[in-house]
Amino acid sequence: MAVIGIMSAMNEELAAVLATMPDEQRVTVAGRDFRVGRWQSHAVVAVLSRIGTVAAATTATLLLERFQVDTLVFTGVAGGLGAGVRVGDVVVAQGFVQHDMDASPLFPRHEVPLYGRARFEADADLSLQLCAASQQVLGHAAQHLGANTLMAFQLDSPRVHQGLILSGDRFVSTSAESLALRRALPDALAVEMEGAAVAQVCHDYGVPFAAVRTISDRADDAAHTDFQRFIRDVASRYSLAILSQWLTCRQPVGAGLI
Ligand code: SAH
């Protein structure tokens, strides 16, 4: 039976999913609570990684080693970088780069030493599936969030984007830094603090990985009016609806063999 791992950095991001997922078993390893259960007849392990690349890499490794996860999905929030990537939109990763990796002049800027690459790809099939699920959900945003929330956050026809996500151990919250990132890596759609690390771990283990991020801010001086409230009322609900839609369309591996 395939086991799906679901990760978020912060409790608020995964709150709606955890509230829905039957909590069959809770296993604590290295200070992390792994919720082992079933969601829509899929075997699922859901866990919070905490914030940053090291915390996320440790958590991903535990999911793969201890819980035999063979598909891993990250869901959470990110800062928008690409033109037209607005607060309330969703970015599905096609690939990841660690924007603060710099072993130059020994290795080219952004290249992860000894991997011969800067970019780690998301699994193409998984990303397409999550894209379709995201489009389905955002097409009915009012139904999932409520009209009041749409109005409160001025969300107007939220869109799904697919492309490059940057990760690094820094909350990007100045226009100058955001501009520098866009100049250095013009393809980037969003920036966060975990994805590239998890992608590297999944690359090492040969396990498919994908990520869905709701844009919570524009990674600039205009800090979001209420980050926590946005996550609770928008991002967390998107995560629940998108993953739920994705699982509905996904045939459990092993189903039909009995
Ligand atoms: N002010 C928040 C900060 C959390 S750190 C708090 O006190 O809780 C930000 C988290 O959201 C990270 O897990 C990261 O992956 C994501 N994120 C959202 N916007 C980001 C940005 N502009 N730069 C970097 N990470 C961002």
Side-chain angles (χ1 to χ4, degrees):
M1 179 76 174
V3 184
I4 298 170
I6 299 175
M7 271 175 84
S8 288
M10 298 180 284
N11 182 46
E12 297 82 357
E13 293 173 308
L14 205 59
V17 168
L18 293 178
T20 309
M21 210 186 115
D23 193 4
E24 285 166 25
Q25 204 192 341
R26 196 177 298 210
V27 184
T28 305
V29 187
R32 289 141 172 86
D33 279 340
F34 294 81
R35 323 268 187 121
V36 184
R38 227 157 247 285
W39 190 15
Q40 295 189 19
S41 76
H42 296 269
V44 169
V45 184
V47 65
L48 300 171
S49 62
R50 305 197 199 115
I51 295 166
T53 54
V54 175
T58 304
T59 311
T61 307
L62 287 170
L63 276 172
L64 300 173
E65 284 284 351
R66 293 269 190 122
F67 297 90
Q68 279 79 47
V69 157
D70 42 32
T71 299
L72 187 44
V73 173
F74 199 108
T75 181
V77 291
L81 290 178
V85 179
R86 300 180 304 167
V87 170
D89 286 358
V90 162
V91 173
V92 177
Q94 267 172 339
F96 303 86
V97 168
Q98 240 176 290
H99 67 76
D100 53 358
M101 175 59 75
D102 187 1
S104 59
L106 298 178
F107 297 89
R109 180 86 173 92
H110 300 126
E111 184 169 311
V112 180
L114 310 182
Y115 280 79
R117 64 170 74 212
R119 182 173 162 135
F120 290 82
E121 299 301 325
D123 182 75
D125 284 346
L126 201 50
S127 291
L128 276 180
Q129 292 164 18
L130 289 167
C131 230
S134 303
Q135 254 142 8
Q136 171 74 23
V137 168
L138 266 63
H140 301 91
Q143 186 186 314
H144 295 287
L145 304 181
N148 287 344
T149 299
L150 283 188
M151 261 193 332
F153 290 99
Q154 298 173 352
L155 305 183
D156 177 29
S157 317
R159 291 175 51 202
V160 180
H161 311 263
Q162 221 191 345
L164 177 65
I165 291 186
L166 307 184
S167 311
D169 285 313
R170 211 153 54 212
F171 185 72
V172 180
S173 58
T174 66
S175 301
E177 198 181 347
S178 168
L179 184 64
L181 285 179
R182 279 184 276 138
R183 286 211 173 120
L185 295 153
D187 293 344
L189 296 183
V191 59
E192 35 85 319
M193 301 176 70
E194 298 86 16
V198 178
Q200 186 176 331
V201 172
C202 287
H203 168 88
D204 287 344
Y205 281 84
V207 166
F209 171 60
V212 188
R213 294 273 187 172
T214 302
I215 300 303
S216 55
D217 58 277
R218 276 289 305 175
D220 58 13
D221 304 316
H224 201 275
T225 37
D226 195 339
F227 191 73
Q228 300 297 346
R229 192 172 149 228
F230 177 86
I231 297 177
R232 189 193 66 210
D233 290 352
V234 180
S236 164
R237 290 185 195 187
Y238 274 170
S239 289
L240 171 63
I242 291 168
L243 293 181
S244 177
Q245 170 71 21
W246 170 60
L247 288 177
T248 304
C249 297
R250 190 181 160 92
Q251 182 83 349
V253 177
L257 296 178
I258 311 158

